[in-house]
Amino acid sequence: MSLHRIRPLSQLASFYLRPQCRSTHSKAYVTTPIYYVNAVPHIGHLYSSVLADTLTRYYALKGADAFLCTGTDEHGLKIQQAAAKNNVSPVELCNKVSESFKALCNAANVNYTAFMRTTDENHKKAVATLWGELEKNGYIYKGKHEGWYAVSDEAFYASNQVQEVVDEKTGEKYMVAIESGQRVEWTNEENYKFKLSAFQDKLLEWIDSNPTAIVPSNRRNEVVSWIQGGLADLSVSRLRSRLDWGIPVSSDQDHTIYVWLDALTNYLTAAGYPWKDPSNNKIWPADIHVVGKDIVRFHAIYWPAFLMAANLPLPKQILAHAHWTMNKQKMSKSKGNVVDPFELMNVYGADAVRYFLVRDGGLADDGDFSESNMIKRYKDLAGQLGNLLSRSTGTALNPDAMVPAAPQGPVDTRDQALHKKLTQVAGEYEQAFEAREFNKALSTVFDLLSEANKHFTDNEPWVLAKDPSQKERLDQVIYYAIESCRVAGTLLQPVMPVKMNELLSRIGVDDDKRTLKYAATQSIDARPLGPASSVLFPRLKK
């Protein structure tokens, strides 16, 4: 077996900072995983969806035609078993749970372009077409599979990927997948296989030549290690006698297409695949697949290999985020530490929850959820942004309900620190977003707001308002406060779309001047404020 040399990470540290690596997307196609419908939505699903939606809105902020795909994965043995357990048909179960994921998107202001369901007819056509391409190109063959299978993961595992564990309560010994911890069972059956082993070197070459194809770097290292450890051919069907809830193999009705080949194809289906004419493809390849770390193997190994085998372009980036824990422990119903995403948004509002998730969620390492941190972030929003907006637009200091014109001539020494931050923040924010350093991107905005609040306090506009001779200086102070709100509000739109629309409307920003270009450009002319609205971030009831 030949091992392709992967560029060391030390050579990648400055990669994100190179000008040519900053995005110039004219289109941006972002996806969430399609969520498995054997359980109701949890905070991990919300995190994936909010991250993907934030990225989609970020590229729209840059002027790209942005598309977001999400949806539900509705085939497989788990669905078949869960439906039987609940005494309903699989399609009834899928319809019910799929609607709960749509409701989650609606509640969280996730503005998807396409909501995929793997039971949709256009998806079945796409899967059959992709299977046909893989078969035609000689990458699918019939064989026998003998090994470990995890129903919960819908995945086969090699012997070095499982281990024996002992139930502490009963003393029962059983085998689990090392990666997921899920129980596995020994199976022996005929199925179709995909020649994954043929793509080992090609996958390594792809990762080496595209340093940001898999982020963050620890996920990239994991994937490289898995590939270098050797890739076995992959089972891509199950006998229909064992699994009938799925898409049948068109050329062999005794077999059902294995769930991962079915599920992953949804990203192509949403892009209009199969295209009658390649010129009809407007959005593939995907720019960013947002996934959880537990499914990075499927997206960073199996999916690129399927696409290579079908001669289709590969996704530009797979962003595999970490999970949410509570008190450093994995969330689970049995531990009673599960966070209901609907309840959380009902208490704090969707946009504040979105901000908390993006600011504190883990990429390389798990994010730890606590109510106190959620409250802290909410109070930051209210104190730093909401308070600055209300003070600078209130009638006490701004009786004319106007945004003053920008000060003329050299920058006043009292304004220089804030003026400098205003000129730099959009570039720093963009650079951090392109590097997928979301916490850093948001921190740059709140550094600006901190400086703006300090500037407001230091210049005491409430004192200036009492002296008619200080009207020009008062206007300068009000200008810088509202300008800080404008720039911050523009940059925070991807994370808090509803609240920032409210803010920008309040300070009279035209709809066509709410893009990244305008955040990087000083507002010059005076303009009237928009209609007064309610407090941006009301006092918490709890």
Side-chain angles (χ1 to χ4, degrees):
M1 178 182 68
S2 63
L3 293 182
H4 191 83
R5 182 177 177 274
I6 291 295
R7 191 179 307 161
L9 285 173
S10 60
Q11 294 180 19
L12 303 181
S14 63
F15 180 84
Y16 295 118
L17 305 182
R18 298 177 191 169
Q20 65 267 32
C21 296
R22 295 174 68 179
S23 172
T24 54
H25 293 66
S26 58
K27 70 90 184 171
Y29 177 32
V30 184
T31 72
T32 76
I34 52 170
Y35 303 117
Y36 212 45
V37 296
N38 66 320
V40 296
H42 55 64
I43 195 170
H45 300 127
L46 178 62
Y47 182 45
S48 293
S49 295
V50 166
L51 264 188
D53 183 66
T54 296
L55 281 160
T56 308
R57 291 177 185 271
Y58 163 74
Y59 284 111
L61 191 73
K62 295 184 69 172
D65 290 328
F67 306 87
L68 174 61
C69 172
T70 189
T72 45
D73 180 6
E74 303 183 10
H75 290 140
L77 194 57
K78 279 190 291 187
I79 307 302
Q80 188 172 300
Q81 292 176 344
K85 183 178 179 180
N86 289 280
N87 200 30
V88 296
S89 68
V91 72
E92 287 176 316
L93 176 67
C94 292
N95 288 341
K96 180 180 178 181
V97 183
S98 182
E99 284 302 314
S100 70
F101 281 98
K102 281 187 178 179
L104 184 73
C105 288
N106 294 337
N109 302 319
V110 172
N111 189 26
Y112 55 82
T113 313
F115 190 97
M116 291 301 309
R117 296 185 60 180
T118 55
T119 49
D120 289 342
E121 290 304 316
N122 63 334
H123 178 69
K124 294 175 183 177
K125 179 181 178 182
V127 172
T129 302
L130 182 62
W131 179 283
E133 288 297 305
L134 302 182
E135 199 168 41
K136 181 182 73 176
N137 294 340
Y139 291 109
I140 287 181
Y141 64 95
K142 185 180 278 190
K144 285 191 176 292
H145 178 83
E146 186 175 65
W148 298 104
Y149 181 74
V151 173
S152 293
D153 298 335
E154 299 280 9
F156 290 96
Y157 290 101
S159 296
N160 63 354
Q161 295 174 309
V162 300
Q163 64 184 9
E164 185 179 74
V165 298
V166 179
D167 188 307
E168 294 179 359
K169 294 182 180 179
T170 66
E172 177 193 4
K173 296 180 180 180
Y174 57 93
M175 304 299 289
V176 300
I178 296 171
E179 188 177 334
S180 67
Q182 297 297 325
R183 187 186 290 249
V184 296
E185 58 187 30
W186 188 260
T187 63
N188 188 332
E189 66 178 60
E190 175 189 80
N191 56 30
Y192 285 93
K193 291 195 170 187
F194 171 73
K195 293 182 181 178
L196 184 64
S197 57
F199 294 91
Q200 182 162 321
D201 286 346
K202 291 179 181 178
L203 287 166
L204 291 171
E205 288 167 6
W206 167 61
I207 295 170
D208 186 31
S209 59
N210 296 277
T212 59
I214 304 166
V215 292
S217 59
N218 60 337
R219 306 283 172 254
R220 176 182 181 274
N221 293 344
E222 286 175 354
V223 171
V224 169
S225 177
W226 290 333
I227 297 171
Q228 289 181 335
L231 296 177
D233 288 352
L234 181 69
S235 294
V236 288
S237 79
R238 301 294 307 274
L239 282 170
R240 204 149 184 82
S241 58
R242 297 194 179 188
L243 172 63
D244 64 2
W245 181 241
I247 301 171
V249 174
S250 56
S251 59
D252 188 341
Q253 295 293 308
D254 290 336
H255 286 262
T256 301
I257 295 174
Y258 178 54
V259 68
W260 278 105
L261 178 55
D262 172 358
L264 290 163
T265 305
N266 94 91
Y267 305 129
L268 283 172
T269 310
Y273 179 85
W275 307 285
K276 291 181 180 178
D277 183 328
S279 65
N280 292 333
N281 172 25
K282 304 299 182 185
I283 64 172
W284 187 261
D287 292 88
I288 310 167
H289 287 317
V290 175
V291 301
K293 67 178 183 180
D294 54 328
I295 54 174
V296 66
R297 176 192 299 271
F298 308 106
H299 285 83
I301 299 179
Y302 302 168
W303 182 227
F306 293 155
L307 293 168
M308 288 177 182
N311 296 314
L312 290 169
L314 303 192
K316 295 178 182 178
Q317 186 173 85
I318 296 158
L319 174 61
H321 63 74
H323 291 165
W324 280 92
T325 59
M326 186 178 287
N327 298 322
K328 305 298 183 183
Q329 291 187 313
K330 185 178 180 180
M331 291 187 186
S332 69
K333 288 183 179 178
S334 61
K335 293 177 181 177
N337 64 351
V338 173
V339 178
D340 183 332
F342 293 99
E343 183 179 330
L344 191 67
M345 289 186 285
N346 186 51
V347 173
Y348 298 100
D351 277 12
V353 171
R354 286 171 62 107
Y355 172 75
F356 167 70
L357 293 175
V358 176
R359 182 80 188 260
D360 294 299
L363 290 182
D365 302 306
D366 290 344
D368 199 52
F369 179 89
S370 75
E371 193 94 8
S372 61
N373 283 344
M374 178 70 241
I375 292 171
K376 178 181 180 297
R377 291 302 185 197
Y378 188 93
K379 289 182 175 179
D380 285 346
L381 291 169
Q384 293 286 324
L385 184 53
N387 195 36
L388 184 65
L389 174 68
S390 62
R391 290 198 294 175
S392 60
T393 59
T395 54
L397 298 178
N398 197 340
D400 297 329
M402 290 291 295
V403 180
Q408 301 299 304
V411 178
D412 191 304
T413 55
R414 293 167 291 184
D415 304 331
Q416 284 178 350
L418 178 54
H419 189 92
K420 183 179 180 181
K421 280 195 176 293
L422 281 165
T423 62
Q424 293 177 340
V425 65
E428 293 172 351
Y429 166 95
E430 181 184 8
Q431 188 175 70
F433 242 94
E434 294 296 336
R436 309 304 178 232
E437 295 174 339
F438 305 117
N439 180 287
K440 185 176 179 180
L442 298 178
S443 294
T444 64
V445 178
F446 277 81
D447 286 347
L448 165 67
L449 290 170
S450 179
E451 184 64 37
N453 278 284
K454 180 179 183 298
H455 178 270
F456 196 86
T457 301
D458 289 350
N459 284 278
E460 300 181 317
W462 52 90
V463 175
L464 298 173
K466 296 175 183 178
D467 185 351
S469 69
Q470 294 294 320
K471 179 67 167 65
E472 183 178 350
R473 181 57 191 161
L474 175 63
D475 282 351
Q476 290 176 343
V477 175
I478 295 297
Y479 167 82
Y480 274 108
I482 296 179
E483 180 70 352
S484 297
C485 288
R486 182 189 70 83
V487 172
T490 301
L491 297 178
L492 291 172
Q493 286 176 105
V495 185
M496 295 186 287
V498 174
K499 289 292 185 181
M500 293 309 101
N501 175 63
E502 186 180 329
L503 179 150
L504 294 170
S505 295
R506 174 65 180 123
I507 59 176
V509 180
D510 293 338
D511 290 348
D512 61 350
K513 294 181 179 177
R514 300 183 180 189
T515 62
L516 189 63
K517 178 180 75 171
Y518 287 98
T521 307
Q522 184 179 12
S523 177
I524 301 297
D525 298 327
R527 64 182 185 276
L529 293 173
S533 56
S534 58
V535 175
L536 198 61
F537 296 100
R539 186 183 297 273
L540 291 172
K541 295 177 182 179
K542 56 186 298 181

